[in-house]
Amino acid sequence: MSWYRANRWWVLRLARLPLDIFVFGTIAFFLVRLLPGDPVSVAISSRSGTVSPEAIAAVRTQMGLDGTVWDQLLRFWGGLFQGDLGHSLVTGAPVIDEVFSRLPSTIELIVLGLIGAFVLCLVLGFLYLRFANRALRASIRVYSSFATTVPVFVVAIFLIVIFYVILDWLPAPLGRVSSGTLPVITGFPLVDELLTGNVDLFGETLVQYIMPVAAMVLTYTPNLLTQYIGGLDRELVQPTTRFQVAAGVPRKWIFFSVFRRSLSSVVVVFGLFFGSLIGGAVTIESLFGFGGIGALGVRSVQSVDFTALQGFLVVVVAVCLIAMLVVDLVNMWLDPRRRPGIESEAS
Amino acid sequence: MSRLAKPLERADEAIAVERFAVAYRTEFGLVPAVSNVSFALKRSERLAVVGESGSGKTTLAMAIAGLLPHETAQVDYGVARVAGRPVDMSASRSVIPVRHEGVSMIFQDAMTSLDPVATIAHQFRSVLGKRGVRRSEIRAESIEWIEKVGIPNPERVLKLHPYELSGGMRQRVMIALAMCSKPAVLIADEPTSALDIVVSRRIMDLVLSLAVELGTAVIVITHDIDLARKYTDRMLVLYNGEVQDLCSTDSVTSAERSPYTRALLDCVPRLQDYDKEFLPTLARSIERAAS
Ligand SMILES: Nc1ncnc2c1ncn2[C@@H]1O[C@H](COP(=O)(O)OP(=O)(O)O)[C@@H](O)[C@H]1O
Ligand SMILES: [Mg+2]
């Protein structure tokens, strides 16, 4: 029981995840059905001649759109519990497969962009704190003030113009090198290329990633950096820092402590803008011709593909929720005062 | 410099400052906060710095400990020695101030002074951990210190975070952390102003017994004249950043003290005064003393 009490904070947080996904999935189910257009008539309109009401009903049943909305909802729930999101109304392929064949490449891009932004943020934060140089600190502050002002595709287009059009140092943004030529193992392009031993392809993909990832890193770092610099400035003048100096804590430890105390504000931001990150990644993918989860979303809206769209939404939201879960857990680990059930006297 | 060149009387000198002055850098230029302070303390000696709010007590203490960053304040001094060694007060290039070796300081609020996200064990390790010292030794020493400041069950306390301790325990942990580097001087800035009288006396007893054990000189900053008279050997009265009196605590009531000191003493409520309609205040006392 004492194990439970000590670990309750993350156990409870973990238990909330499926509930959140279920609630959001239900919302998505209804939202999708508000789209104008009837998938059955879309499907039938492609057939020539008149279609009998029986044939229409047959198509409706086959698409899983027969019965009342509540019947459909029950079927959707049943599928959700078994990890089955139904079949696409357009291609007939299982939605799960459709989503998971595209999701990994998008996630790969996001993860690379995030790691890059996080590392750059840490490095700049370190420079900001370590060196009392006015010019350096001022320029870091100016860079951080670009947070949320410049959209990622603007930065990407600038990079393309400079490094492809003018300098011709980097390859054209014309899609993936390995697209469709490799057996799919994990779905993550870089990982698959390594696993199948295609080191050349791996290198080419890396080179191709330079511009899109750099665009994401340059765009998203200021978001993290404003929080981080704010945290550093705040923690630096905290009585805690003063006491550490006064108690004779070595400078390295004090720096580390200030960095650590400021970190949780950065981690919070991660959770807040992960959703917009997916949006950014989708834009980047279409700009560089990568194809990914975004393309699926666009296709299913255009073709009124209810099942594909609701499956797409559920999975994307689940990814966001998992990201937020990780953010929460990391934060509670970094700063135990954030764990639920902890009453702090400090106000 | 040979060891013999060192004057003999400095052997048990804990701290000496001469012509010490601090000015804050503000948008209106340098604003002096403390000027021309000189004093010396032997090991285990206790000095009280008293004065009303804003008289520069904290400024003086922070400057002595090296806690005022170069961008915030300009510190001038004629001589400053801690444990016989001159203090290096060359401005630090870093945003974190550089402590003057051998001077520790404790503050009023232990909750905000301790690192909120680190365990007590970690905080001891950050002070005691040096190259070549084994973790188990550090741990043993931490436990010893926690016992020394009178906290039961030290193994358990090591695993806790500051917010999991009671206020009194936090105060004691802060004292242990400040003392475990065996400083030559401990400065306590209003260490007990937030505590009730019983707890505050107990904390003072603890600080002073540790100081005697380690031979640490103690500078107590307070506006509590009673506390100063009970616990310290000498008293430095500060007003507007200037020293009004530096005398032994016993002689503070004698007639040759400065008008300000006498006024300050007048403000201490005495039991027999409580039936009076007005208790003396500083402004009125100064007027009376000056006239
Ligand atoms: N960071 C600062 N910048 C400018 N002036 C300051 C600063 N800190 C304190 N002062 C001024 O210095 C004087 C002394 O303050 P302080 O040392 O805190 O007094 P005390 O501790 O005796 O109450 C006050 O007039 C205060 O306004
Ligand atoms: Mg003060």
Side-chain angles (χ1 to χ4, degrees):
Chain A
M1 215 64 281
S2 74
W3 179 91
Y4 174 72
R5 216 179 309 140
N7 294 282
R8 186 179 51 185
W9 56 278
W10 63 265
V11 173
L12 286 182
R13 183 63 187 79
L14 202 61
R16 233 188 62 198
L17 181 66
L19 189 70
D20 286 349
I21 294 178
F22 174 76
V23 169
F24 186 84
T26 309
I27 296 174
F29 173 89
F30 286 108
L31 279 183
V32 161
R33 278 160 179 74
L34 292 179
L35 276 183
D38 174 17
V40 177
S41 32
V42 171
I44 285 172
S45 65
S46 59
R47 302 187 186 183
S48 55
T50 51
V51 185
S52 66
E54 292 78 37
I56 294 180
V59 170
R60 196 173 283 282
T61 312
Q62 188 203 336
M63 283 183 159
L65 296 176
D66 53 328
T68 63
V69 167
W70 306 110
D71 294 334
Q72 293 174 27
L73 181 62
L74 284 181
R75 260 179 276 144
F76 171 68
W77 278 349
L80 204 55
F81 281 118
Q82 295 159 25
D84 176 9
L85 294 174
H87 293 258
S88 163
L89 303 185
V90 176
T91 64
V95 172
I96 281 277
D97 293 352
E98 292 244 24
V99 172
F100 280 98
S101 66
R102 294 155 202 263
L103 190 61
S105 66
T106 306
I107 291 198
E108 187 172 275
L109 213 53
I110 292 177
V111 166
L112 287 178
L114 263 189
I115 292 179
F118 189 59
V119 169
L120 186 58
C121 168
L122 288 188
V123 169
L124 291 177
F126 177 78
L127 295 178
Y128 181 78
L129 195 57
R130 186 63 191 81
F131 299 101
N133 185 314
R134 262 167 209 274
L136 177 76
R137 306 191 69 186
S139 29
I140 292 178
R141 235 190 252 123
V142 168
Y143 177 48
S144 79
S145 69
F146 280 112
T148 68
T149 51
V150 185
V152 65
F153 61 86
V154 172
V155 178
I157 290 171
F158 264 103
L159 290 179
I160 292 174
V161 169
I162 295 173
F163 290 101
Y164 168 62
V165 179
I166 300 179
L167 297 174
D168 199 19
W169 287 353
L170 293 170
L174 295 175
R176 292 180 177 280
V177 252
S178 66
S179 169
T181 59
L182 272 183
V184 174
I185 303 174
T186 60
F188 296 97
L190 282 179
V191 179
D192 282 356
E193 282 157 11
L194 268 191
L195 286 180
T196 52
N198 280 294
V199 183
D200 294 349
L201 265 185
F202 179 76
E204 278 180 57
T205 308
L206 277 189
V207 173
Q208 218 175 25
Y209 269 174
I210 292 178
M211 279 196 285
V213 171
M216 294 177 74
V217 169
L218 288 175
T219 315
Y220 295 129
T221 302
N223 293 332
L224 303 178
L225 200 58
T226 36
Q227 295 299 318
Y228 199 38
I229 286 182
L232 290 174
D233 279 341
R234 213 168 36 242
E235 290 299 333
L236 204 56
V237 295
Q238 284 293 308
T240 301
T241 312
R242 202 191 311 146
F243 178 67
Q244 285 171 327
V245 176
V249 176
R251 302 180 66 67
K252 255 192 220 153
W253 285 76
I254 302 180
F255 274 115
F256 180 78
S257 167
V258 172
F259 284 127
R260 175 171 172 186
R261 280 182 274 139
S262 317
L263 207 54
S264 58
S265 42
V266 178
V267 180
V268 172
V269 181
F270 260 109
L272 290 182
F273 86 130
F274 193 83
S276 62
L277 250 174
I278 292 195
V282 166
T283 325
I284 288 285
E285 276 175 342
S286 56
L287 201 60
F288 285 84
F290 283 173
I293 193 76
L296 177 65
V298 173
R299 193 202 72 193
S300 31
V301 172
Q302 282 167 351
S303 56
V304 209
D305 191 342
F306 284 178
T307 23
L309 191 54
Q310 77 200 11
F312 165 81
L313 289 176
V314 167
V315 172
V316 168
V317 166
V319 168
C320 287
L321 287 174
I322 290 172
M324 253 150 97
L325 168 81
V326 173
V327 164
D328 271 3
L329 292 183
V330 167
N331 240 339
M332 290 192 269
W333 172 72
L334 276 176
D335 186 348
R337 288 170 302 173
R338 291 174 190 269
R339 295 174 191 175
I342 300 249
E343 293 141 51
S344 175
E345 283 174 40
S347 49
Chain B
M1 232 210 267
S2 84
R3 253 181 25 189
L4 287 175
K6 204 155 110 189
L8 204 60
E9 69 267 20
R10 282 198 202 163
D12 69 353
E13 171 194 282
I15 183 169
V17 296
E18 268 171 45
R19 301 189 301 283
F20 205 87
V22 186
Y24 281 107
R25 296 177 209 279
T26 69
E27 50 195 305
F28 315 109
L30 282 176
V31 176
V34 167
S35 46
N36 200 17
V37 174
S38 307
F39 67 88
L41 288 179
K42 293 200 193 67
R43 292 200 157 264
S44 298
E45 211 178 355
R46 303 145 183 189
L47 173 75
V49 177
V50 296
E52 63 192 284
S53 276
S55 55
K57 307 183 296 289
T58 299
T59 306
L60 176 65
M62 301 260 287
I64 290 175
L67 297 181
L68 288 178
H70 183 66
E71 310 102 77
T72 315
Q74 178 185 307
V75 180
D76 286 323
Y77 58 101
V79 177
R81 281 189 308 268
V82 173
R85 279 187 302 273
V87 165
D88 175 23
M89 292 216 251
S90 53
S92 131
R93 297 274 298 130
S94 164
V95 287
I96 294 179
V98 181
R99 176 211 197 204
H100 294 158
E101 208 53 48
V103 185
S104 280
M105 188 160 170
I106 56 175
F107 302 91
Q108 183 176 328
D109 187 358
M111 183 67 190
T112 56
S113 293
L114 298 175
D115 184 342
V117 299
T119 59
I120 304 301
H122 182 96
Q123 309 198 31
F124 272 103
R125 213 153 51 230
S126 69
V127 182
L128 296 171
K130 293 190 189 68
R131 206 177 281 273
V133 184
R134 256 185 274 123
R135 268 196 171 215
S136 56
E137 290 172 39
I138 296 174
R139 195 183 144 79
E141 206 177 334
S142 315
I143 289 176
E144 205 176 291
W145 270 101
I146 295 177
E147 274 168 350
K148 227 182 219 173
V149 293
I151 301 177
N153 210 343
E155 275 94 352
R156 201 182 79 85
V157 169
L158 278 183
K159 283 189 220 136
L160 301 179
H161 290 86
Y163 66 87
E164 293 166 294
L165 300 175
S166 72
M169 271 152 89
R170 278 198 291 266
Q171 199 84 12
R172 283 158 193 271
V173 167
M174 174 172 71
I175 291 168
L177 282 169
M179 293 297 271
C180 68
S181 60
K182 306 193 174 66
V185 184
L186 177 77
I187 306 176
D189 189 358
E190 315 219 358
T192 61
S193 301
L195 305 174
D196 69 65
I197 189 138
V198 179
V199 181
S200 108
R201 298 290 128 115
R202 234 184 264 144
I203 292 284
M204 284 308 297
D205 285 334
L206 172 68
V207 169
L208 295 180
S209 73
L210 287 176
V212 168
E213 190 185 324
L214 299 176
T216 302
V218 180
I219 301 177
V220 185
I221 292 174
T222 181
H223 48 239
D224 181 347
I225 306 269
D226 274 344
L227 182 126
R229 287 170 73 174
K230 182 162 159 36
Y231 285 104
T232 60
D233 312 313
R234 285 197 293 155
M235 209 183 269
L236 188 151
V237 182
L238 214 53
Y239 175 66
N240 213 357
E242 283 167 19
V243 180
Q244 304 296 312
D245 266 304
L246 176 58
C247 57
S248 82
T249 308
D250 300 327
S251 68
V252 76
T253 46
S254 78
E256 70 259 34
R257 300 281 76 95
S258 77
Y260 180 78
T261 306
R262 272 182 282 143
L264 200 65
L265 287 172
D266 271 352
C267 292
V268 179
R270 278 172 298 253
L271 223 44
Q272 67 264 27
D273 287 342
Y274 276 107
D275 49 351
K276 286 193 186 157
E277 202 168 333
F278 300 104
L279 288 177
T281 62
L282 202 50
R284 255 188 294 141
S285 301
I286 291 176
E287 271 169 35
R288 194 147 35 83
S291 61

